[in-house]
Amino acid sequence: KEWVDLKPYFTVYEESCFPVEKSYLEWEKGMMMIDCAFKYALRSKGYFTQYLRTILNAVYFSIFSRLAKAEANFLLCEMNIVDLSKLWNCWDVNPYFFSIFKKSFVPVPLHHSIYVPKMLKPITREDLKNHHIEVNNEINPKHAVNMKNYDKDKFVKVKVICNSPLDLENPLNETTVMNAKKIRTIIIHIHGGGFVALSPRAHQNYLRKWIKMVPDSIIFSIDYRLAPEHPYPIPVSYTHLRAHETEADLVCRLLLEKKK
């Protein structure tokens, strides 16, 4: 019911208007295979042992693909939120899995993380019901690059992917300003995972393809907080990027120019 209430605030694109369906279906098929392979591998302790068992399971389910689909559907029905979170996060945090996953990445000129101050106060279910979102106007939304051990309650990590070279540390650089002015499409990406798992880097394989498919575009993929530590709808309060008048801030300037 809550999602139905939010539906008027979303724009639905027809398949012919946004040429990403094929890449998404390929990703979905791969996820189904990985879920099946991971289910049994998670019983092992240690990243390397999990990796070996996953390879063997993947070979098995690639041969018996119909079993993989049935197993994946059964898996999603029987698992609780904690186990499902571990399953999805496994291929994001396990270095052996991620090293193989990276091989599917399409090279792009810019893939970097920035850190944006959290602009919204924690959102409750009552806020969603009443369509109420409270913004902290006292916070300067200027971004920072290369923050180590950042305060996750005060800042939001955002993965920036672009097909043009942009110097995020020196946004007023002449080349950066020139390339930024060419950007015509801004994609705000809130990654999948049911607010319980994954991160922007786990979705880079298709995000990088989107950049190639959509000319003169830039993607801001938001690394919101996850349940069970931050149950829904708290993660929604981390998905707000704000435009403002500070010229030295690349992210907000791009959003502002798009708005104009």
Side-chain angles (χ1 to χ4, degrees), residues 142 171-172 244-250 253:
K142 181 177 176 61
L172 294 183
H244 71 123
E245 300 289 347
T246 306
E247 292 185 355
D249 184 30
L250 176 64
R253 187 170 78 250

Side-chain angles (χ1 to χ4, degrees), residues 1-6 9 81 121-134 194-196 226-228 230-237:
K1 184 180 183 302
E2 291 170 351
W3 283 112
V4 172
D5 292 339
L6 291 173
Y9 297 90
I81 188 172
K121 296 182 179 181
I123 296 175
T124 65
R125 293 180 181 271
E126 193 67 24
D127 291 333
L128 291 180
K129 182 179 179 181
N130 297 326
H131 308 299
H132 173 74
I133 295 178
E134 189 173 355
F195 294 113
V196 300
L226 303 172
H230 299 82
Y232 179 84
I234 292 177
V236 178
S237 62

Side-chain angles (χ1 to χ4, degrees), residues 35 42 72 75-91 193-194 196-198:
D35 285 348
L42 287 176
L75 175 67
L76 293 175
C77 293
E78 72 167 354
M79 295 191 74
N80 59 50
I81 188 172
V82 176
D83 291 336
L84 193 60
S85 177
K86 289 180 180 179
L87 175 69
W88 285 353
N89 280 322
C90 186
W91 66 291
V196 300
L198 302 179

Side-chain angles (χ1 to χ4, degrees), residues 87-150:
L87 175 69
W88 285 353
N89 280 322
C90 186
W91 66 291
D92 188 14
V93 301
N94 187 314
Y96 296 102
F97 294 131
F98 191 75
S99 63
I100 295 178
F101 178 56
K102 280 183 68 174
K103 296 183 184 300
S104 67
F105 291 0
V106 176
V108 292
L110 174 66
H111 53 94
H112 203 84
S113 294
I114 63 173
Y115 302 84
V116 182
K118 182 174 174 290
M119 300 299 299
L120 299 184
K121 296 182 179 181
I123 296 175
T124 65
R125 293 180 181 271
E126 193 67 24
D127 291 333
L128 291 180
K129 182 179 179 181
N130 297 326
H131 308 299
H132 173 74
I133 295 178
E134 189 173 355
V135 179
N136 190 345
N137 292 313
E138 297 179 359
I139 297 179
N140 181 0
K142 181 177 176 61
H143 80 268
V145 184
N146 296 327
M147 290 181 64
K148 293 183 178 180
N149 301 320
Y150 69 100

Side-chain angles (χ1 to χ4, degrees), residues 25-206:
L25 290 176
E26 291 175 354
W27 176 84
E28 186 180 42
K29 183 178 179 181
M31 279 290 295
M32 178 188 72
M33 190 69 65
I34 290 172
D35 285 348
C36 292
F38 278 177
K39 176 184 177 181
Y40 302 99
L42 287 176
R43 297 174 182 174
S44 303
K45 294 183 178 180
Y47 286 148
F48 187 68
T49 306
Q50 290 177 355
Y51 169 73
L52 289 179
R53 291 195 66 174
T54 300
I55 295 297
L56 294 175
N57 292 335
V59 172
Y60 174 82
F61 284 115
S62 64
I63 296 174
F64 302 100
S65 57
R66 290 187 177 181
L67 282 177
K69 186 174 182 179
E71 184 74 16
N73 291 333
F74 180 72
L75 175 67
L76 293 175
C77 293
E78 72 167 354
M79 295 191 74
N80 59 50
I81 188 172
V82 176
D83 291 336
L84 193 60
S85 177
K86 289 180 180 179
L87 175 69
W88 285 353
N89 280 322
C90 186
W91 66 291
D92 188 14
V93 301
N94 187 314
Y96 296 102
F97 294 131
F98 191 75
S99 63
I100 295 178
F101 178 56
K102 280 183 68 174
K103 296 183 184 300
S104 67
F105 291 0
V106 176
V108 292
L110 174 66
H111 53 94
H112 203 84
S113 294
I114 63 173
Y115 302 84
V116 182
K118 182 174 174 290
M119 300 299 299
L120 299 184
K121 296 182 179 181
I123 296 175
T124 65
R125 293 180 181 271
E126 193 67 24
D127 291 333
L128 291 180
K129 182 179 179 181
N130 297 326
H131 308 299
H132 173 74
I133 295 178
E134 189 173 355
V135 179
N136 190 345
N137 292 313
E138 297 179 359
I139 297 179
N140 181 0
K142 181 177 176 61
H143 80 268
V145 184
N146 296 327
M147 290 181 64
K148 293 183 178 180
N149 301 320
Y150 69 100
D151 188 337
K152 294 183 179 181
D153 292 324
K154 295 182 179 180
F155 287 85
V156 183
K157 184 178 180 180
V158 181
K159 173 71 73 173
V160 183
I161 304 175
C162 188
N163 211 24
S164 298
L166 302 173
D167 188 348
L168 299 180
E169 294 183 347
N170 301 290
L172 294 183
N173 175 284
E174 184 178 349
T175 303
T176 296
V177 172
M178 181 179 64
N179 289 333
K181 289 182 178 179
K182 296 177 182 177
I183 294 175
R184 294 291 176 266
T185 302
I186 295 174
I187 301 173
I188 306 297
H189 177 253
I190 302 174
H191 68 80
F195 294 113
V196 300
L198 302 179
S199 69
R201 82 168 191 162
H203 295 261
Q204 280 195 68
N205 56 341
Y206 68 82

